[in-house]
Amino acid sequence: MFSPDAAVPASTAARNPRRRQRTGSDDSVALRHNPKRIRRSGLTSETFQPPGTTKGNGHIGLVEEEAFTNGHAKEPANLRHASADPTSLAIRHKGVKKADRERRTSKNDGSIELTKNENYVVTQLPTTPESIWDYHTSGKWHGEISTSLGYALAMTQSQAIVWRYAQGTMSAEQLKPLYIKLLHPSNNSRHPLPLGILVPTSTEPALLVVMPTSGKITYWESLTSAASVDSNRQKQQSAQGTVSGMLSGEFITKITEAEPRAFVLTLSTGRLAHLIVSDPQGKPSINVQYLRDNGAQSGGVFGSLRGVFSNAGWRKDVAAVRAGNSWQRGQRYVVVATSKGSFQIWDLSWNGTHSLVNDVDAKDELLHALIEGADVSHDNKEHIFEVLDFTILPSEGSGKEVAKTGKSGDCKLLTLTVLKEAKSSMYTLIGLTFAAGSVTIDVVHPITCYTTLFPADTQFKPQVLVPEPAQAAFIMFEKSVVLVSLVEIQETPSSQLQMEARTLPDPFQDALDFRSTKPYRNVGCASEVYDRIHAQSSCILMIYGFGLVRISALPMRKGQSALDRATVTAKTKLEQAVFFGNLSQDLLDFSPRPEISFQQEEVEAAALSVSHSIMSSTSVYLPSISPSMDQQLQRRSSALADLNKHLRQYYPPLSRLSRWKLLWNAEKMAAAKALWRCYNSIINNQNRSSNDKSVLAELIESLHESLKTENQPEHHETDGVRHWFIHDVWRLEYIIPWAQNMVELMFENAVEDNKRIEPAIQARLVSEADDIQLSGLETAFGFREANIAAYGLEDETMIDGILLRGYEALPEIWTSTANIVERVKTMTDLSRELACLGEDDDTNQGDPLPDLVLKLAADNPRQVQICCQTYIERFRWLQSRPDPESRAAGDKLKQAHFTVRKALFKGLPDVGQPEKAIHLAEKYHDMDALADIIEGEMLSAESDETVRLLEERIYSYFVRFGTKWSNAFFKKHLDGGKAVGILNGNANFKNHLTQFLRHQPNYAKLGWIHEVASEKSYAAAAEDLMLAQNQETNLWSRKISLSMSKLSVLAATGKGQIKDKSAKDATRKIDENLAVLTMQERLCNYVKPTIRNALDADAEVDLALQKYGSNVQGKSALRQNLERHFRKMLALEPLSSEALIDTLTLLGGEGASPDNEGFMGSRFFYAFKVLRYNSLEASDSGFKELQEKFIWRRCMIQDDWKDINRTELKDDAQAEVETGATALFKTLREGFRTGFWDKFVPLPPAKVLEAGTSIDALRVSSHFADIPENALAVLAQDLEMEDELLEKYMEEGRLDERWKGVVEAAKASARDEADSKGEKQLRFRNAQEEFTARMIEKDREAYPKDGGKEHDRAIDDQGDVIMGM
């Protein structure tokens, strides 16, 4: 039956060498009690560096020369002078120090960096067997790592695989893995995998294998024995045994090394067994004892778990078992932790005896530490607390103090705990000190960077490793690794203030995740021996499906502040994703964890910083020198693309400006790649002389030092071009314009040196400069348009890489700086001129000039294209600026672009590129240039077929471009004096010509001819003639146009092309225009007698002003206006309505011709009629109102009302005569006589006061909007003088009182005149009707009697015409 304290029988090995018993050890270390208060830790300058002395202020320290034995690499004394025969076994070692040196291989040994930053580096070791790392074929297995030996062990159901992972100087044959067949494999694949461990010996490692389910144990003293192909010999050279007394369903879960030949077995039920693989004489044997409590010490205030492994309470969920240090040879402490928070310390002896030293339940203390140090709520009912793992830390005492406290089993632990919630878990590292049966909390490290829910079905239990010098902890999860700094920030006044303000940064933490899309998982891990040469502490991981991975904590750089490394920065995360995210060894997932978040501003600044470091090659992750510059540029270009892809995939959208800056950098890199290929092809040209320096090389050499990174000759940097491509691509905008400037400079230097540059050399230099501009700008614009959506700018509207709108928030764009716009245009002209000149030069056989000329000609359309692109982008950006100066400059540049573009397009046929010219003109819809090019091709056509094809193309343009092409095509021919050809041209163009002429008022004189001759549209001809009259500059010509327009209206009415009402409206409008012209004629005839003797036009104006300028004396503005009107009128030029009104109302003096005797009295009424005709079309009501008041005021002040008011000694007849002779009376009477005042109400004097007498009063009309303010002030002053005169007449002549009387008198006079005329008109009307009746009767007799109603209707219509109806 089962007996937990029964010894397990064992068989001995075939070999029986004598061994000398070990009597003692001088390297034992003990732990002393050193309680600490709870506090968060931070970073100092000693983070990840070995301290010179141990700390005593509450943080974890280091005992020098002490080797960790739990979770750390151990350096056994019996291996220090071990030797190895390389011929005996391929994986033997030469001692720990040599193995350590071999293990620390650089990347040159084939190891691959998986990620790196200033805090840590992760590398893949190259020595993993393919059968292990290939998860497609590896099957089920788990592993163990012996970092002290430099070996790794993988266990499957049937075999153990051992290999040396530290390469060193060993040969490939020695590094081959060793496959060991297990003696007692399980036949059930669902059973747990066998457990194995490598044991250090004096020669080569030994191997211990335990079958978890059956409990069978096999121990080989050497790997040579274990790897024997002879199964009998393999069994004979092994020690075998069994763990007896295992319960049903119980199995072994873990082997923990407690001595080189002693181990602790952890069972699934929580029981522990002490396994010894040698007898007291050192012979191999198997001896197993279950650990049981024979009376442990009390647990102090926390109580004791007495009998935890007794018959009643042995079932425990063991979280971890760790072997501590020994205080004498043959003895070792073992610490056991349960998931509930209980800890036991066992004292094990080499002879199989054991005792329970301490048994403490620390759950309450751990929970209290979480509440105080990790900000956990007191109400933790919803949380499930569990201890996951722990590691034993070194004590802070010296070697002399060990003996005093070593026998008590006191120790310092770093415990990994978890609080499980529904959707997440909170992990915490808690430092504990066990002393005198009690526990003290030293430090609490909440894990804030990793809160992934702890899985219930994990195959790998989390482990915490603290490699020397115990300043960083590595928390190993199944698919993640968390790094935590354990060093406390030194207290300074600054740090104390930050702590009080709660702004002190947390200690450094970071989480590394394995890719979830692959079956990668952690199956084994161990701490490595401290690398004092590189000051690195490292851990080794065995990853299923991937292989061995080393994670090393890096030392702090010299002069670096501890706070600089306290937090994970956005830049660090971006750099890791960019430079390591696309490795073929895709172990790590660089997507950001939700626990680590950054502010938007920090992400944007980091993204731009990383982008610039790539552009300038200042990133430590990029090689500064590469044999292939093309590959180096491609790598940087890929890094920029990866940066953008990562940002878009995992971060919120950046600001629009930041996205544009990232895109600009990427397009610069693409342009640099194209530029390098051009340069590379130039220097590879076999026909090139070694003395011919390229334009790019000269250009880079000539650049000012502020525009480039200078070479460092002391570092043997001799290639300036490569140096620029490595460091200065981000300054590409300086290279492109300077290409043209460099060519000019080289030409000028040759002239100064009296050297003649051969045409071929000129062409070569210009061609190279062309290539610089074309490769840079073409690639940039093309890249921008192709990748606009990839950079999150898909909402931007873009054509040819140029935004249509949205420039307002953007800085100056590098592809269209002012210098680039100017130099690209100059380079385009220079290339075309040189290509044209080169075609005429005589060349010899083998001369490269013809080929270069052809290249220049072929490249010129591309140059024209980028010239247009830079112009457009530049003026659009300027037009978006907030300052008016920039907007004005943008408008000016836009107009310049249209001029330059047309000239460039028209110049392409000169270099033999007419088709490209036509294509560009079509693309940019430059119809003027297209018409010129097509005309040139028509003139130079050498065959009828060419002409026919061109005519077909012309016709297609009418369909394709519509009005734009029509306007350009017809203007080109009409302005060129080819009107007859157009009017009598191709019938296919007829409809388009009609539409063109109808929408082009400037061609109305031709339009009415086309309408009458081709379209037979008299209505349209009438409209064109109305438009044409406005273009006439001669009074007589305008009257002719109006008369012909009226005739066309009548013809259109007869043809039924226009309705009667419309015809009447059109006729009325024409009559009104004719009436205005008639008034101007009468005015001109009135003035002409005065100027009959004038010698020239100036004299005519002077004489007219002398005679009729009395009303504008002392009024400079009005006098200038009247002088200007006289000059146009006497030249028989039509006056505008406003000018005619001004002239009529400002006219003074008496008429000189009897024929115009009544003109002066009626001129104000004429002015009102002109105002009425003009007001029907005028939209400026304010100006109309001002003009009306001006007319009334000038009419009122035309006569001396002060004199009229003196009625003493005057009879009624004389008073009536004086009033009737005034301009006011005549104007009123004429209006009443014609019924004019039915629509225009006469204004009394008070209503016209202050009209236009100030600038503000004039500004009410848009007519004065464009007149300068000083000119308006003078005009207002003149008008104020008129106003003052009116006020004088109102006051002294009582004009306002006389107003009603004058109105009534004028009305009565008009009525009397109408009565007298009425009798005459009645007699005339009767005679007219009688005459009409006789004429109709004669016509009826003349028509046939069978004409019917149509004849009657015609006769009636004729009668209406005669009657004027």
Side-chain angles (χ1 to χ4, degrees), residues 547-811:
L548 293 178
V549 172
R550 174 181 288 125
I551 304 179
S552 302
L554 301 178
M556 187 175 295
R557 298 192 308 271
K558 183 177 180 181
Q560 187 178 25
S561 170
L563 293 179
D564 294 339
R565 295 175 56 158
T567 56
V568 177
T569 63
K571 182 179 180 181
T572 298
K573 285 300 182 183
L574 290 179
E575 287 177 330
Q576 288 180 291
V578 169
F579 297 108
F580 301 100
N582 286 331
L583 296 178
S584 57
Q585 295 75 12
D586 56 346
L587 170 66
L588 299 177
D589 181 2
F590 292 101
S591 59
R593 294 191 60 86
E595 301 89 346
I596 303 177
S597 60
F598 306 101
Q599 295 293 328
Q600 180 79 356
E601 295 79 7
E602 183 182 357
V603 174
E604 292 190 4
L608 295 177
S609 177
V610 173
S611 180
H612 180 74
S613 69
I614 297 171
M615 296 293 293
S616 59
S617 295
T618 55
S619 173
V620 297
Y621 306 105
L622 290 173
S624 58
I625 300 177
S626 177
S628 172
M629 179 55 62
D630 189 65
Q631 292 181 3
Q632 204 260 7
L633 291 171
Q634 180 59 44
R635 179 174 181 180
R636 291 157 65 191
S637 180
S638 299
L640 292 172
D642 293 340
L643 171 62
N644 172 65
K645 181 179 178 181
H646 184 75
L647 288 167
R648 293 207 65 199
Q649 185 174 1
Y650 296 111
Y651 290 90
L654 304 184
S655 67
R656 178 172 179 262
L657 178 58
S658 296
R659 283 176 281 162
W660 268 107
K661 288 182 177 180
L662 293 176
L663 176 58
W664 289 332
N665 280 347
E667 67 193 28
K668 282 184 180 180
M669 188 60 67
K673 289 193 298 181
L675 182 58
W676 170 257
R677 295 190 184 106
C678 288
Y679 174 75
N680 204 36
S681 64
I682 290 172
I683 61 178
N684 286 337
N685 189 353
Q686 296 180 354
N687 298 325
R688 184 182 182 85
S689 172
S690 59
N691 296 326
D692 293 339
K693 201 166 185 180
S694 70
V695 173
L696 182 61
E698 288 280 2
L699 170 57
I700 292 176
E701 183 178 347
S702 302
L703 276 177
H704 191 269
E705 59 184 9
S706 63
L707 304 180
K708 65 179 180 180
T709 304
E710 288 290 340
N711 283 0
Q712 297 181 359
E714 64 275 12
H715 293 164
H716 308 286
E717 293 178 349
T718 58
D719 192 339
V721 176
R722 288 178 182 267
H723 189 270
W724 183 89
F725 276 98
I726 293 174
H727 298 288
D728 296 308
V729 168
W730 60 281
R731 293 166 165 163
L732 184 60
E733 61 268 28
Y734 299 112
I735 290 292
I736 292 175
W738 272 87
Q740 181 271 332
N741 191 69
M742 194 68 234
V743 172
E744 287 187 356
L745 184 62
M746 296 172 77
F747 288 173
E748 291 174 1
N749 291 339
V751 172
E752 292 177 0
D753 297 339
N754 295 322
K755 294 180 180 179
R756 179 179 181 273
I757 301 180
E758 296 296 331
I761 296 178
Q762 294 182 24
R764 178 183 66 80
L765 295 177
V766 173
S767 176
E768 291 183 12
D770 286 350
D771 290 340
I772 292 174
Q773 293 187 347
L774 288 173
S775 60
L777 292 176
E778 273 187 343
T779 306
F781 284 123
F783 182 93
R784 184 185 300 168
E785 186 168 23
N787 294 273
I788 189 76
Y791 280 79
L793 298 166
E794 57 275 3
D795 295 335
E796 309 278 356
T797 306
M798 178 176 290
I799 298 177
D800 287 341
I802 305 169
L803 282 175
L804 294 182
R805 62 190 65 87
Y807 290 87
E808 289 76 13
L810 297 180

Side-chain angles (χ1 to χ4, degrees), residues 23 102 106 166 281 329 333 438 470 479 501 508 568 589 637-638 663 684 716 759 763 808 1018 1153 1201 1224 1252:
T23 59
E102 292 172 352
S106 66
Q281 288 74 35
R329 185 173 296 280
Y333 286 115
S438 62
K479 298 183 74 65
F508 171 79
V568 177
D589 181 2
S637 180
S638 299
L663 176 58
N684 286 337
H716 308 286
E808 289 76 13
Y1018 299 105
S1153 173
W1201 289 95
L1224 178 60

